[in-house]
Amino acid sequence: MTSEKKERLVMHVDMDAFFASIEQRDHEEYRGKPLIVGGLSGRGVVSTCSYEARKFGVHSAMPMVRAQRLCPQGIFIEGNYAHYKKVSAEIFKIFARYAPVVEPLSIDEAFLDITGMELLMKSPREYAERLKREIRARTGLVASVGIAPNKFLAKLASDLEKPDGLVIITKENQQSILDPLSVGRIWGVGKKTASVLTSLHIRTIGQLRQTDRKKLTAALGAHMAEHLLALAQGIDHCAVAPREPAKSIGKEVTFPEDLKDRAEAEKVLLALAEKVGYRLRGHGLKARTIQLKLRLGNFQTYTRSRTLGEATCYDKEIYQTAVELYQGLHVRQGIRLLGISASGFDASGEISLFHEEARKENLYAAIDKIKARFGEKGITKAQLIQRPDEL
Ligand SMILES: [Mg+2]
C-alpha cells in the first residue's frame, strides 16, 4: 500500500483482434470477411477472430470445431506467429516512446505508466489519440486505449468501447461507470467466485460495493472479500512494473547413454556455449558469471561457476570458462547431463571501441544473421559436426 496522495495516470493499450487484423491488413481477400486464426488440428482452439466472425458468436479460446459449426462460411487459417511477434515488437517500440515504464501483458497489450507526463500532453485524451494515430500510421492496425488512476480501471476502460475505443475513467466518473458492470469484469473473479456472488444475489459491481463486508467474508474468506471490495470501489495499488527480466540464460542436455569420453564432453560444451552465446547476444546481454552443471550416471550432480573479469556474450569465452570448470572436476565416470548457464547480466550496450572487441562483435553479428535465417543449426564450428543430435 502506498501512502502518497499523488494521482497516478495509467494507460492500458490493447490491439483490436490483433492476429486477425494483421492478416486482414496483409491479405485483401480477408477484409470484411469472418476470419478465424487458430489451431486447425482436431483439438485446436481459436486464437483470434475478426469482428465479422464475432457476429456469429465466435470468440477466442473456443474450440475450432465449434467455431466452424457457428460460422461455416468463415475463413480459417493457422496464422504466422513469428510474423505477429515482429508486428508486436514494432508496437512495443512505439509504447516505449510514450511512457518511461511499460508493462507487457501479452503480445498485444500493455500498461503504460504516464504519471507525471502531463507536460508532454494537452490532455490524457489527446495523448491517447496521438498514440492510437501513430500505431495506425506505422502498422495499419487499430488499438483500444483506457486511461485511469490505476491498472484495474485502465484495463477495464480499454475494453468498454472496443474496437477503436478510448475511455477515460477518473475519480469523478468511476463509480457511475463501474456500478452497472457485471462482477465478472473484476480481476480474479472466475466462474467459482461468480457463482458464489450470484448465490448472494450480487450481479453488478455496484451491488458488490454495497455488500456488507462480514457477509462477503463469510462466503469467500477475508482475502477475497477485501480484494473484491477494494476493486468495486475502484481501488488498486498495483504498480506498473516492467516484466522481470530473466536472471540467467542456460542450456543443458541429458544424454541417452552416459558420456565416457573427455573429448566428446568438450564438444558438447562447445555446442552448449554456442547456444548460450547466441541467446545472450539475441537479448543484447553480456554475462559476468558462467556456470557449469554436470550430472554423473549415478545422479551425483556438480555445479561450478566462475565470475569473469569482464562480462561476455562470446561463445569462445563461455566455452573456455566451461571447459576449465569441467577439467577442474576431474571426472572419471560416465556423464549423464551437461549444462552451461550465464548470469550476472550487463546490458551489452554499444559496440566497444577497442579494435579486438569490435572485430568480435562483427563476426558474431554475421554468425547470428545466418543463424536467424537458417535456425540455430545453420552454422556451427567444424569441431561440432559430430555432436549429439539432441543439441
Ligand atoms: Mg487484444
Side-chain angles (χ1 to χ4, degrees):
M1 298 273 152
T2 157
S3 58
E4 58 188 290
K5 292 255 161 54
K6 209 175 120 217
E7 277 276 298
R8 290 194 296 152
L9 209 50
V10 177
M11 182 149 83
H12 180 255
V13 189
D14 186 11
M15 302 303 295
D16 299 331
F18 189 50
F19 300 162
S21 301
I22 295 172
E23 295 294 344
Q24 288 184 321
R25 176 195 73 178
D26 297 347
H27 300 92
E28 220 185 320
E29 66 272 27
Y30 295 161
R31 289 182 206 155
K33 304 242 168 74
L35 176 72
I36 296 106
V37 183
L40 297 184
S41 65
R43 286 199 266 165
V45 295
V46 176
S47 302
T48 319
C49 57
S50 69
Y51 284 92
E52 294 85 355
R54 291 179 198 200
K55 286 183 196 140
F56 293 86
V58 179
H59 57 76
S60 44
M62 169 183 282
M64 206 47 133
V65 182
R66 182 160 158 69
Q68 277 158 342
R69 227 178 293 134
L70 286 170
C71 185
Q73 63 274 66
I75 302 167
F76 295 84
I77 60 170
E78 290 254 65
N80 177 349
Y81 295 88
H83 179 50
Y84 306 152
K85 241 185 140 184
K86 275 191 204 140
V87 181
S88 166
E90 280 176 61
I91 291 162
F92 274 82
K93 260 191 208 153
I94 302 173
F95 291 166
R97 286 195 285 103
Y98 277 76
V101 183
V102 175
E103 177 183 353
L105 272 188
S106 73
I107 191 166
D108 77 322
E109 59 179 306
F111 288 114
L112 280 64
D113 192 339
I114 54 171
T115 309
M117 297 185 69
E118 291 78 1
L119 285 176
L120 296 173
M121 57 179 95
K122 283 196 203 110
S123 67
R125 177 171 296 278
E126 178 271 339
Y127 200 59
E129 280 167 353
R130 209 196 307 166
L131 172 64
K132 280 163 59 94
R133 265 200 309 277
E134 184 165 349
I135 292 173
R136 200 192 281 248
R138 287 183 186 267
T139 69
L141 299 169
V142 180
S144 289
V145 175
I147 296 183
N150 60 53
K151 284 161 75 171
F152 163 61
L153 292 175
K155 185 162 165 61
L156 196 116
S158 73
D159 198 46
L160 286 177
E161 286 179 10
K162 254 179 174 302
D164 203 11
L166 171 49
V167 174
I168 298 176
I169 297 182
T170 61
K171 284 259 174 297
E172 289 69 42
N173 68 8
Q174 71 173 43
Q175 229 55 67
S176 63
I177 290 178
L178 280 178
D179 283 356
L181 296 177
S182 145
V183 289
R185 305 291 284 257
I186 296 181
W187 281 357
V189 174
K191 276 195 186 129
K192 229 174 104 188
T193 308
S195 78
V196 174
L197 292 173
T198 306
S199 72
L200 299 172
H201 307 287
I202 303 168
R203 288 172 201 282
T204 67
I205 296 180
Q207 289 167 339
L208 174 63
R209 184 163 62 89
Q210 283 152 11
T211 304
D212 177 59
R213 170 174 264 108
K214 276 188 203 144
K215 185 173 148 190
L216 215 52
T217 303
L220 289 162
H223 187 76
M224 182 56 99
E226 292 308 319
H227 171 77
L228 293 181
L229 286 172
L231 293 182
Q233 297 167 72
I235 299 168
D236 166 32
H237 293 291
C238 293
V240 174
R243 193 156 290 173
E244 279 278 295
K247 293 214 164 53
S248 75
I249 285 179
K251 175 80 188 164
E252 59 182 47
V253 58
T254 303
F255 308 107
E257 261 175 63
D258 290 355
L259 219 63
K260 299 249 160 52
D261 186 64
R262 174 174 155 173
E264 233 177 351
E266 291 181 3
K267 266 188 208 168
V268 171
L269 289 175
L270 180 55
L272 291 169
E274 283 196 339
K275 296 264 179 203
V276 172
Y278 178 58
R279 286 185 197 167
L280 283 170
R281 296 191 296 278
H283 286 94
L285 294 169
K286 287 185 179 178
R288 208 166 272 283
T289 302
I290 304 299
Q291 188 185 66
L292 171 80
K293 181 173 167 189
L294 184 149
R295 181 169 295 147
L296 298 176
N298 63 7
F299 282 85
Q300 203 166 350
T301 305
Y302 300 87
T303 56
R304 293 288 183 272
S305 62
R306 178 173 301 161
T307 296
L308 307 168
E310 216 173 304
T312 187
C313 61
Y314 305 120
D315 307 353
K316 201 174 154 195
E317 285 159 15
I318 299 167
Y319 169 68
Q320 276 165 356
T321 310
V323 160
E324 283 168 29
L325 293 168
Y326 163 71
Q327 289 169 352
L329 282 172
H330 302 289
V331 178
R332 300 257 176 269
Q333 304 167 50
I335 300 168
R336 179 182 164 77
L337 171 151
L338 277 173
I340 297 178
S341 65
S343 59
F345 298 139
D346 277 354
S348 69
E350 289 160 57
I351 286 183
S352 160
L353 293 174
F354 295 105
H355 180 71
E356 178 60 15
E357 278 280 293
R359 213 178 55 74
K360 258 195 272 184
E361 304 267 3
N362 286 335
L363 169 67
Y364 282 104
I367 292 175
D368 291 347
K369 252 190 209 156
I370 299 172
K371 282 187 175 173
R373 265 180 69 195
F374 298 106
E376 280 191 53
K377 288 187 179 172
I379 189 167
T380 192
K381 295 190 182 69
Q383 267 178 288
L384 282 171
I385 282 169
Q386 291 182 316
R387 68 185 176 182
D389 274 350
E390 69 266 31
L391 276 177

